[in-house]
Amino acid sequence: MVIIHVETQDGEERDERWPSVEKFRAWAAAEGFRGTWTAYEDDPDGEGAVIASGRYR
């Protein structure tokens, strides 16, 4: 599992859990997601490292 921090074009921010970055990216492309995202390792200590990020326009 990874944690994806999402910020939509209208300013909404949220954290979501996804099985993988690839599954999130496939969903985002299929749904026409617009905004930025950052993926973090799912770390129980709360100090997950950034593993990927991107933007959909």
Side-chain angles (χ1 to χ4, degrees), residues 2-3 6 9-11 14 22 24-25 28-31 35-36 39 42 45 47-48 51 55 57:
V2 295
I3 298 172
V6 173
Q9 284 185 334
D10 63 1
R14 64 183 180 271
E22 293 78 17
F24 169 78
R25 292 183 69 187
E31 294 294 317
T36 61
D42 190 6
D45 294 332
E47 296 186 24
I51 55 175
R55 172 181 292 180
R57 297 176 188 238

Side-chain angles (χ1 to χ4, degrees), residues 2-57:
V2 295
I3 298 172
I4 309 279
H5 179 80
V6 173
E7 185 172 343
T8 64
Q9 284 185 334
D10 63 1
E12 179 186 351
E13 292 187 51
R14 64 183 180 271
D15 290 332
E16 302 178 353
R17 292 185 179 274
W18 282 84
S20 68
V21 172
E22 293 78 17
K23 288 193 184 250
F24 169 78
R25 292 183 69 187
W27 169 85
E31 294 294 317
F33 171 76
R34 299 290 181 249
T36 61
W37 59 274
T38 305
Y40 299 87
E41 293 177 332
D42 190 6
D43 183 356
D45 294 332
E47 296 186 24
V50 173
I51 55 175
S53 63
R55 172 181 292 180
Y56 288 95
R57 297 176 188 238

